[in-house]
Amino acid sequence: NTNCFLLSSAVWWDMKDCSVTEGIDAHRVRPSIEGGFRELGYSGPVSIKAYGDQKRTPDHLLQALSSTGVAVVHIRSESTCTLMYKDMVKWREDNLPPATMMIITNQMLDVFHWDLARLQQRTRKQP
């Protein structure tokens, strides 16, 4: 009897710093990310949050992302990293390792490096 379980995975995506490249079908973003997880051996549900100033994002792109289940979060660009990190902390409290996190940003070393190292070391509070 083989025990099999699904791991949850979450993606936080900074759309300002890492936008959908011109000519790429936004409907393919989610399947591409999920395929990347599968190639690495991860299975289970994947939640994706895309953060950015959605007033500057073309409507067709927002509609395509939303239609595939990407949660599009409207935020001023100067608040993006703060909100992403806050959401990551909350998610990690509810999803202990081996749950998987992916961050799509070019702010990794500048903003997230030390905070994520501390987050990885945290343990869930016991009731």
Side-chain angles (χ1 to χ4, degrees):
N1 187 7
T2 304
N3 291 329
C4 180
F5 60 95
L6 301 177
L7 304 174
S8 71
S9 300
V11 177
W12 293 274
W13 171 19
D14 181 346
M15 289 182 68
K16 177 181 177 265
D17 290 336
C18 302
S19 60
V20 176
T21 306
E22 186 71 31
I24 299 295
D25 179 3
H27 290 97
R28 297 289 314 140
V29 171
R30 181 180 192 84
S32 294
I33 291 171
E34 289 174 332
F37 276 112
R38 278 192 304 276
E39 285 179 21
L40 294 171
Y42 296 100
S43 61
V46 177
S47 66
I48 302 171
K49 280 190 176 182
Y51 298 79
D53 184 346
Q54 307 311 351
K55 293 177 183 175
R56 298 176 185 240
T57 306
D59 286 341
H60 73 277
L61 184 68
L62 294 174
Q63 290 169 353
L65 292 172
S66 293
S67 74
T68 63
V70 173
V72 179
V73 179
H74 174 68
I75 188 160
R76 294 185 324 268
S77 61
E78 62 272 9
S79 303
T80 301
C81 293
T82 301
L83 182 59
M84 284 174 65
Y85 183 71
K86 182 179 175 183
D87 288 350
M88 286 179 224
V89 169
K90 172 69 175 114
W91 186 86
R92 178 53 83 199
E93 288 173 357
D94 298 333
N95 299 275
L96 294 177
T100 306
M101 302 168 68
M102 176 189 287
I103 303 165
I104 303 171
T105 183
N106 71 359
Q107 300 293 317
M108 197 62 199
L109 292 177
D110 295 337
V111 176
F112 289 110
H113 181 74
W114 291 110
D115 288 333
L116 291 175
R118 283 196 314 267
L119 181 61
Q120 184 65 26
Q121 294 172 354
R122 291 175 119 182
T123 58
R124 184 180 220 170
K125 294 176 186 171
Q126 296 300 319

